[in-house]
């Protein structure tokens, strides 16, 4: 972990020097803000032809949520399943979709994707901590055109505090049970046409159960400057480090009755380290034309060392072994997305690359953090793969008032992507070959790519302003989610020929402002198609065979945005 930290410090120094040079060169005045998927006001909310929720800074301050899960549970249609009690790995679902690792939800921070690999492994092993978030935006089916790639369910955008116009500094500390303590320091200020914001968060504790200690460090910094009176530039740098004793292993009935707070897998440890960088450039070309370009990237190291065990088929009792396995992942993500807002049009494109290094390492003790040495079938590096996706997308949306009361929107998003799986070593293939007499060619390392996949995602919506306080809306949108790396190409190197999962999302609802409160009622019907499921003859073989439908009514009461 130390090598990664040294690299981070060197890179941050480079960014600070470059930003300082930019700040000194600027004599203009242009105010640049982060990317938002809804906005701040009632007028912004009224433009959304579908169900949408803004959780404001005031609401967050008033509720003082312990985790983001607590906030999201108040959003209708959103289900959150807690896992380890601290909100570190949220399992979020919209309208009946699977909650598993929030894979069907697009999670953004300041408009930039933060999941491990948005196309190939959209899992929330890392998620923004609510202590450093100032606002949360949630859009469901109506988000499909402008944001991707995961649009089956919807989008969550976590907003960090904007750079203040004047000096603003604060320190917040919390002390609780089970050794919990949290310290959050914030500082922001503007200097002429430039500004800076820094947030430092540290949390630690003994966890929700016995033998589950954790600690995290989270550092966010922003630097912005005016380039001219029509353009601005913002740099954002984020570093996160977590060490947690967490496990997938639960309790048997007898273990729970003996002590419901115990953690038998006390040697299981998860390490997560993330470095995120983004640059945002705004250019106000004319009164009705804004050109906005974001460049983003992150590195995520996710190592999970779990002690080996055997389980009694009759009693379910677990016997631990003096060995373990590291399920270790390293992710690289890089993308650029320019978009133009001109009059009634919003259009843009995105180029995106992501790569996962996936390794299984066997350790020779319960607390090992390096590869074992010994018998070939149980030692060292068992699996080693590089999985990657190259993708591009383009989108256009037209939004126009037909009258003082009616506004229509229609758009189209196009996604194109190719996935690649390079197996460097896979000892399980060799072991299978010995048992099943698989041919020698099938046991060799391989590189395989899927065919290029192309998907069109249409959508349309309408809003009708009944009065100053009441609005009706309706929408029809296509949902889309590409298959995971490991599903697209199986462990033997076969292209599974999987199509992306898709859905048709229908919404009909009304919004009303009543005495400072926005009341929203929405009826929805979602028809999911060609979902990726396991084939009947093999859990490792995936097919497009699943279909499901979800329908329901939602009621939301929220204080009006500013």
């Amino acid at each position: 972990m130390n090598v990664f930290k040294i690299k981070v410090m060197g890179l941050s120094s480079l960014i600070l020097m470059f930003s300082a040079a930019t700040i000194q060169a600027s004599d203009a005045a242009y105010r640049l803000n982060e990317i938002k998927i809804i906005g701040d006001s009632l007028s912004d909310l009224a433009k959304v032809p579908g169900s949408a929720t803004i959780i404001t800074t005031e609401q967050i301050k008033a509720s003082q949520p312990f985790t983001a899960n607590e906030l999201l549970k108040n959003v209708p249609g959103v289900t959150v399943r807690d896992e380890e009690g601290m909100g570190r790995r949220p399992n979020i679902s919209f309208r009946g979709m699977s909650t598993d690792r929030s894979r069907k939800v697009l999670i953004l921070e300041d408009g930039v994707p933060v999941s491990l690999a948005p196309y190939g492994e959209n899992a929330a092993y890392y998620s923004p901590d609510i202590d450093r978030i100032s606002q949360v935006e949630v859009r469901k089916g109506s988000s499909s055109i402008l944001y991707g790639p995961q649009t089956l369910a919807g989008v969550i955008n976590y907003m960090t505090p904007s750079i203040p116009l004047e000096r603003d500094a604060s320190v917040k500390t919390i002390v609780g049970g089970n050794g919990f303590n949290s310290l959050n320091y914030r500082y922001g200020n503007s200097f002429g046409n430039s500004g800076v914001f820094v947030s430092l968060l540290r949390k630690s504790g003994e966890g929700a159960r016995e033998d589950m200690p954790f600690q995290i460090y989270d550092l966010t910094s922003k630097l912005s400057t005016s380039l001219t009176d029509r353009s601005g530039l913002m740099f954002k740098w984020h570093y996160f480090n977590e060490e947690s004793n967490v496990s997938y292993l639960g309790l048997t009935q007898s273990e729970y009755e003996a002590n419901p707070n115990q953690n038998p897998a006390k040697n299981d440890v998860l390490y997560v380290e993330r470095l995120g960088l983004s640059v945002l450039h705004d250019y106000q070309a004319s009164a009705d034309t804004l050109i906005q370009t974001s460049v983003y990237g992150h590195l995520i190291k996710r190592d999970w060392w779990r002690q080996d065990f055997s389980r009694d088929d009759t009693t379910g009792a677990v016997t631990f072994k003096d060995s373990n396995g590291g399920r270790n992942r390293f992710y690289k993500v890089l993308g650029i997305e320019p978009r133009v807002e001109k009059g009634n049009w919003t259009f843009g494109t995105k180029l995106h690359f992501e790569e996962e290094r996936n390794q299984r390492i066997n350790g020779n003790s319960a607390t090992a953090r390096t590869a074992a040495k010994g018998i070939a079938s149980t030692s060292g590096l068992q699996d080693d793969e590089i999985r990657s996706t190259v993708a591009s997308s383009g989108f256009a949306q037209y939004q126009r008032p037909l009258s003082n009361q009616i506004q229509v929107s229609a758009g189209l998003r196009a996604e194109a992507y190719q996935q690649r799986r390079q197996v460097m070593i896979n000892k399980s293939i060799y072991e299978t070959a010995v048992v099943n007499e698989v041919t020698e060619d099938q046991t060799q390392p391989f590189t395989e790519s899927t065919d290029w996949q192309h998907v069109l995602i249409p959508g349309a919506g309408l809003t009708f302003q009944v009065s100053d306080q009441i609005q009706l809306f309706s929408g029809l949108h296509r949902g889309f989610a590409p298959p995971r790396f490991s599903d697209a190409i199986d462990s033997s190197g076969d292209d599974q020929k999987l199509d992306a999962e898709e859905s048709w999302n229908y919404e009909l609802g009304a919004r009303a402002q009543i005495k400072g409160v926005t009341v929203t009622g929405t009826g929805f019907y979602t028809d999911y198609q060609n979902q990726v499921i396991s084939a009947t003859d093999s859990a490792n073989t995936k097919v497009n065979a699943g279909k499901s439908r979800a329908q329901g009514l939602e009621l939301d009461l929220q204080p009006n945005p500013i």
Side-chain angles (χ1 to χ4, degrees), residues 189-206:
N189 204 354
S190 291
F191 308 92
N193 300 320
S194 303
V196 63
F197 172 81
V198 178
S199 170
L200 175 61
L201 172 66
R202 181 193 179 277
K203 280 185 176 183
S204 64
E206 296 305 315

Side-chain angles (χ1 to χ4, degrees), residues 12 27 70 136 224 253 352 383 440 476 484 490:
S12 64
D27 295 317
E70 293 183 15
V136 182
S224 71
Q253 184 65 35
H352 180 94
D383 296 304
E440 183 178 352
L476 167 62
R484 298 170 62 189
D490 68 16

Side-chain angles (χ1 to χ4, degrees), residues 447-513:
T447 299
E448 181 64 48
S449 298
T450 65
D451 297 332
W452 273 94
Q453 301 290 314
H454 303 84
V455 181
L456 292 178
I457 307 167
L462 180 146
T463 61
F464 179 76
Q465 199 71 39
V466 179
S467 66
D468 291 341
Q469 289 77 37
I470 301 175
Q471 181 189 62
L472 305 179
F473 59 83
S474 63
L476 167 62
H477 297 86
R478 191 69 160 158
F480 162 78
R484 298 170 62 189
F485 291 130
S486 53
D487 293 341
I489 303 172
D490 68 16
S491 57
S492 297
D494 294 326
D495 183 355
Q496 298 295 291
K497 305 295 182 181
L498 295 177
D499 294 325
E501 295 179 304
E502 296 178 344
S503 66
W504 283 108
N505 305 337
Y506 306 85
E507 288 183 293
L508 179 64
R511 275 188 286 262
Q513 282 77 49

